[in-house]
Amino acid sequence: MVKARLNPGTVIEGFRIDDLKHTGGMAHLWSVTREDDGAGFLMKTPVVYEGEDPAAIVSFEMEQMIMPRLKGPHVPRHIANGDFSKQPFIVMELLAGETLLSSLPKLPLPPDAVAELGARIADALQSLHGQGVVHLDVKPSNIMFRPGGEAVLIDYGLAHHRALPDLMQEEFRLPYGTAPYMAPEQVMGIRNDHRSDIFALGALMYFFATGTRPFGDPQRLKGLKRRLWKDPVPLRRLNPAVPAWLQEIVLRCLEVKAGRRYPSAAQLAHDLRHPGQVTLTARAEKLEQDGFFAVLKRRGESPMSLIDDPPSRQADASDAPIVSVAVNLDDMTPELADKLRRTALRILERSPQARLAVLNILKLNRIALDQTLDEQGNNKHVQRLVGLKDWARPLPLDQGRVTFHVLEAIDPADSILDYARINNVDHIIMGARANSAMRKILGSVSAKVAAEAPCSVTVVRNRALD
């Protein structure tokens, strides 16, 4: 089972931990050495301490799925993954140098330096988008540079891959990202638009050109939503040294409507490298924010109406249904577990593009304080995750076709129903609770789900339970 804390000298699957390089909100970074050849790498491990946010585990799962699929000089080379049943980790190339965060004391930078920096980051985004990935957390601390000058984007815990299920979208309702750089559509829960990264790069260039963040650093959703109707102070008002062409480029990146931004990172990089060819509009000469009535008009519109031109869906829901199976790890006989698997396979065989979402509910107390670690110091969320993967292991499904979700809730039936509604689940499969006095008192979870679900429900029962 996963260890809550690691220490220098620990050896994990052939990698010896040397020292802790960085502690973040969701993960630790360690320098490690591979024992068989002495090569040095970077190891990332998720934060699974008592009381930590379950999103740390989910985002780590996403990164483990995405990183092995990435190629090229703009991403760290992936070396190995560690399974949650033992010790989850990602081992990757150890990049020399520091992140772009080290440049903050030098702000504001000269306009030409901002343009060169932005162009190199745009090159990295173009490569990433071409591989079907939206980063969704472009910020100084997630950008490094190779000796040859190529920008490297790191940390894919919040990223979206068009060929993989989006666990962050499915399990969490609040938007995840870094407040100063989040695009309006990202604030509203849209995670599959590559132009969100172009907005974030625009916010970064604004910051590096003026020394001021365009939208501040709001910590609440209400503050994040202000960027949907209130435009930033024009760069040239804060720093007169900013040329008109750079203001034109940056403010275009920061347009609320994604359709008004650069359609690709490649076109953005081109403009940054060829300022004499930039077509100047009213953005270039702007010195004041929009007036009171313009802001009031935008604020009166519905938030989603301000975000036009959303990306088209990858496939119609009818061609790729989501089948959800609720697995009760606390009360599951081998016979019922096998019946659930066989039922899921029969349903999946009807739709070759169907996805299976395996759920477990970690029941919370109504009054007492919940503990995230058990008596042995193991993280309960991780234990459930490992249990679900063990249940699904006999299923002949490729990676990306099955996902695992540990949902924390007081009412299991309501949690399953909420998941089905929010994620457009087409079919729910679940086992029936055995006959017992508790069932008579509390009622059946499966009965409530079957009565209220917005989709088809199959309840699996052992004959011995009838």
Side-chain angles (χ1 to χ4, degrees):
M1 183 55 62
V2 57
K3 299 178 181 179
R5 297 182 184 275
L6 301 174
N7 297 291
T10 303
V11 177
I12 305 173
E13 297 187 30
F15 297 96
R16 185 184 69 249
I17 293 179
D18 295 329
D19 58 61
L20 180 65
K21 293 183 66 66
H22 175 74
T23 296
M26 291 188 173
H28 299 305
L29 297 177
W30 309 84
S31 61
V32 299
T33 304
R34 188 155 54 189
E35 290 195 311
D36 56 359
D37 59 12
F41 301 101
L42 186 71
M43 176 182 284
K44 185 173 185 176
T45 59
V47 173
V48 293
Y49 303 153
E50 174 67 52
E52 294 293 344
D53 189 344
I57 299 170
V58 177
S59 68
F60 197 83
E61 287 185 276
M62 287 298 306
E63 193 162 18
Q64 282 190 321
M65 289 194 294
I66 291 173
M67 282 205 67
R69 295 171 177 248
L70 301 179
K71 299 178 180 178
H74 300 294
V75 296
R77 183 167 56 93
H78 176 264
I79 305 298
N81 282 346
D83 192 81
F84 272 88
S85 62
K86 299 177 182 178
Q87 170 62 56
F89 65 77
I90 301 171
V91 174
M92 66 192 85
E93 170 188 10
L94 179 61
L95 297 167
E98 300 178 307
T99 69
L100 196 54
L101 195 65
S102 62
S103 298
L104 298 193
K106 307 172 187 176
L107 302 187
L109 298 183
D112 288 347
V114 173
E116 180 186 357
L117 192 66
R120 287 194 280 164
I121 299 170
D123 289 341
L125 288 175
Q126 181 67 18
S127 173
L128 195 65
H129 297 162
Q131 298 180 64
V133 177
V134 187
H135 191 279
L136 295 174
D137 201 17
V138 176
K139 59 182 179 180
S141 59
N142 284 342
I143 300 168
M144 299 184 72
F145 295 91
R146 295 191 183 278
E150 301 95 338
V152 182
L153 299 170
I154 62 176
D155 195 345
Y156 292 85
L158 301 183
H160 170 91
H161 194 299
R162 69 185 176 202
L164 293 172
D166 193 338
L167 305 187
M168 294 297 292
Q169 177 101 36
E170 294 180 0
E171 297 194 21
F172 303 101
R173 304 279 65 82
L174 289 175
Y176 275 85
T178 303
Y181 307 96
M182 289 176 67
E185 64 276 7
Q186 192 178 346
V187 173
M188 299 305 297
I190 297 173
R191 287 176 39 84
N192 62 342
D193 195 330
H194 68 278
R195 295 166 299 188
S196 297
D197 287 343
I198 291 175
F199 183 97
L201 178 50
L204 186 149
M205 289 191 292
Y206 183 110
F207 185 27
F208 275 58
T210 67
T212 302
R213 295 181 175 89
F215 305 100
D217 189 10
Q219 298 302 307
R220 296 180 181 275
L221 185 58
K222 182 179 180 180
L224 283 170
K225 287 184 176 180
R226 288 196 186 102
R227 67 196 60 191
L228 272 71
W229 61 77
K230 193 167 181 62
D231 57 316
V233 176
L235 290 78
R236 301 179 70 196
R237 178 65 182 268
L238 297 174
N239 183 3
V242 173
W245 61 265
L246 184 56
Q247 176 164 297
E248 173 71 34
I249 291 172
V250 172
L251 292 186
R252 182 178 177 186
C253 292
L254 294 177
E255 286 282 356
V256 172
K257 296 187 177 184
R260 296 181 181 175
R261 299 175 207 151
Y262 283 92
S264 71
Q267 290 188 27
L268 169 58
H270 183 277
D271 272 7
L272 287 167
R273 291 192 170 105
H274 303 88
Q277 299 181 36
V278 175
T279 300
L280 301 182
T281 69
R283 300 186 196 98
E285 301 302 326
K286 193 174 181 182
L287 293 177
E288 301 290 342
Q289 289 175 280
D290 291 342
F292 172 79
F293 291 106
V295 174
L296 186 64
K297 180 181 178 181
R298 289 197 294 264
R299 190 165 184 174
E301 299 179 42
S302 67
M304 291 308 295
S305 70
L306 294 170
I307 304 171
D308 67 349
D309 195 23
S312 59
R313 295 183 59 185
Q314 296 299 319
D316 187 79
S318 62
D319 298 327
I322 296 178
V323 178
S324 176
V325 56
V327 179
N328 184 355
L329 296 171
D330 297 322
D331 185 20
M332 176 73 66
T333 64
E335 294 80 8
L336 184 57
D338 184 60
K339 272 196 170 186
L340 282 172
R341 281 190 290 265
R342 286 189 279 116
T343 302
L345 277 179
R346 283 199 300 270
I347 294 173
L348 291 172
E349 286 171 355
R350 302 171 194 165
S351 303
Q353 296 185 68
R355 266 191 49 214
L356 182 66
V358 185
L359 310 181
N360 176 258
I361 312 302
L362 181 57
K363 197 171 185 302
L364 302 178
N365 295 308
R366 292 184 181 273
I367 300 176
L369 184 66
D370 291 288
Q371 302 295 316
T372 57
L373 302 183
D374 64 15
E375 294 179 356
Q376 288 73 43
N378 297 314
N379 184 282
K380 295 178 183 178
H381 191 109
V382 173
Q383 284 184 300
R384 298 294 182 98
L385 192 62
V386 171
L388 292 180
K389 291 185 176 182
D390 287 340
W391 174 87
R393 192 163 283 114
L395 296 172
L397 299 176
D398 296 331
Q399 184 189 38
R401 200 180 173 198
V402 57
T403 60
F404 305 92
H405 313 268
V406 178
L407 309 177
E408 300 184 2
I410 293 174
D411 188 316
D414 283 345
S415 182
I416 294 170
L417 290 168
D418 286 343
Y419 182 90
R421 294 188 188 103
I422 292 168
N423 296 291
N424 297 309
V425 171
D426 296 273
H427 202 131
I428 299 173
I429 307 167
M430 60 189 307
R433 181 188 287 170
N435 291 318
S436 65
M438 187 63 68
R439 179 185 177 188
K440 293 177 181 178
I441 295 171
L442 299 179
S444 168
V445 173
S446 58
K448 182 175 181 179
V449 172
E452 301 180 20
C455 60
S456 300
V457 177
T458 298
V459 179
V460 179
R461 179 188 294 275
N462 279 333
R463 289 186 179 181
L465 300 179
D466 291 324

